Amino acid sequence: MYDVFFYIFAAITILSAFFVVTTKNVIYAVYSLLLTFFGIAGIYVLLGADFIAIVQIIVYVGGILILMIFGVMLTNKITSVEIKTQTLFVIPTAIGVGIFAGVLIARMITANWRTMPLNIDYSTTVYSIGASLLSDYSVLFILLGILLLITLIGAASIARKED
Amino acid sequence: MIPVEYYLVLSAFMFTTGVIGVLIRRNAIVLFMSIELMLNSANLTFVTFASFLGDSAGQVFIFFVMTVAAAEAAVGLAIMIALFRNKQTLNADEVNVLKW
């Protein structure tokens, strides 16, 4: 039953990801990336990571994609047709990426991962994640807060108009 | 029941797609979206192993990756806006003032 959902979400993810990198129109690429993020959120749900799936939708779709759409709109003149962009180096890229993907996928299939069979109890993971963040990884948690503060200041100071 | 290799191969496909995007496209925003694809494939691998090994530490690391991705998005788009204001282009091949 759940297998069908895996194949559906995987197909959505792969096809929209390919559309992101091949389409000539940047706006289409952004909206296709939205489908990719939703597909990945669905796969997170199938893996039993409910909180991660919600955070994926909130942070990526609600935050990063909106920022990207603003970026596209602010960097294209309304009158110009510069919104279309070209591709290049297709043949060398195909050869190099083919070798890379072949090695990567062959390694992932043949390796002995020593995993247990998937046994998801469909209860929430919020408690264990919160306990880990505030005990084992508390220093990293604080550092991430400082990183976000620096980012806020840096982004505002880079993007402002020069006096 | 889906074995672990299927999730890993899906993640590998997504990472490869991101690499293709970085190599064949020259628009800075599309390069940026390709990097987000690669970060998401790493996240997918983290969640896969967190579920299959029964350990939630992998899910905690997703938060770190997502925070860095959000910070990167904010600073990267600020750089692109400043770049567009100065050079009127986002083509990565035309931005070569640091190239000797």
Side-chain angles (χ1 to χ4, degrees):
Chain A
M1 178 60 194
Y2 288 126
D3 294 7
V4 180
F5 285 109
F6 173 79
Y7 290 121
I8 292 172
F9 285 132
I12 289 174
T13 306
I14 292 290
L15 291 178
S16 58
F18 266 106
F19 191 72
V20 168
V21 301
T22 53
T23 181
K24 298 273 192 277
N25 192 321
V26 181
I27 290 285
Y28 291 169
V30 174
Y31 282 110
S32 181
L33 195 62
L34 184 143
L35 268 183
T36 309
F37 288 157
F38 271 116
I40 293 173
I43 288 173
Y44 287 170
V45 172
L46 289 183
L47 282 168
D50 53 345
F51 189 58
I52 299 289
I54 299 298
V55 170
Q56 163 93 4
I57 290 175
I58 292 174
V59 171
Y60 275 104
V61 179
I64 293 179
L65 271 185
I66 299 296
L67 266 180
M68 281 184 185
I69 290 174
F70 269 111
V72 173
M73 288 193 296
L74 288 173
T75 54
N76 279 287
K77 301 191 198 73
I78 301 296
T79 54
S80 76
V81 289
E82 280 298 308
I83 202 162
K84 295 194 190 308
T85 55
Q86 83 283 12
T87 63
L88 72 171
F89 300 142
V90 175
I91 303 294
T93 300
I95 296 170
V97 167
I99 295 171
F100 173 72
V103 171
L104 190 63
I105 292 172
R107 187 65 196 145
M108 282 186 165
I109 290 175
T110 56
N112 177 18
W113 292 110
R114 300 174 189 280
T115 52
M116 296 174 280
L118 189 59
N119 183 21
I120 302 169
D121 54 338
Y122 285 96
S123 58
T124 181
T125 57
V126 175
Y127 299 117
S128 61
I129 290 174
S132 305
L133 268 183
L134 292 180
S135 60
D136 291 344
Y137 302 102
S138 56
V139 177
L140 274 175
F141 190 60
I142 296 168
L143 282 178
L144 283 182
I146 298 172
L147 173 72
L148 283 179
L149 175 67
I150 295 170
T151 304
L152 191 66
I153 299 170
S157 92
I158 290 173
R160 81 191 158 92
K161 220 179 257 301
E162 300 288 334
D163 294 329
Chain B
M1 190 56 79
I2 303 287
V4 63
E5 283 85 5
Y6 284 26
Y7 292 98
L8 294 177
V9 168
L10 172 64
S11 165
F13 268 119
M14 278 188 63
F15 193 90
T16 309
T17 311
V19 172
I20 292 172
V22 169
L23 289 177
I24 69 172
R25 301 301 298 274
R26 279 295 159 262
N27 186 302
I29 291 179
V30 179
L31 295 186
F32 197 69
M33 288 191 261
S34 305
I35 292 172
E36 294 292 338
L37 277 180
M38 290 193 266
L39 284 173
N40 263 285
S41 82
N43 278 354
L44 183 57
T45 312
F46 267 128
V47 174
T48 303
F49 279 114
S51 293
F52 276 88
L53 297 175
D55 185 358
S56 72
Q59 299 193 11
V60 175
F61 271 85
I62 302 285
F63 282 96
F64 303 150
V65 176
M66 277 185 182
T67 312
V68 173
E72 178 218 339
V75 174
L77 287 166
I79 290 174
M80 281 172 210
I81 289 169
L83 182 69
F84 187 78
R85 190 183 293 136
N86 288 326
K87 307 225 20 150
Q88 310 298 320
T89 181
L90 276 186
N91 189 330
D93 281 342
E94 294 176 27
V95 184
N96 52 7
V97 285
L98 282 180
K99 196 190 268 182
W100 185 43

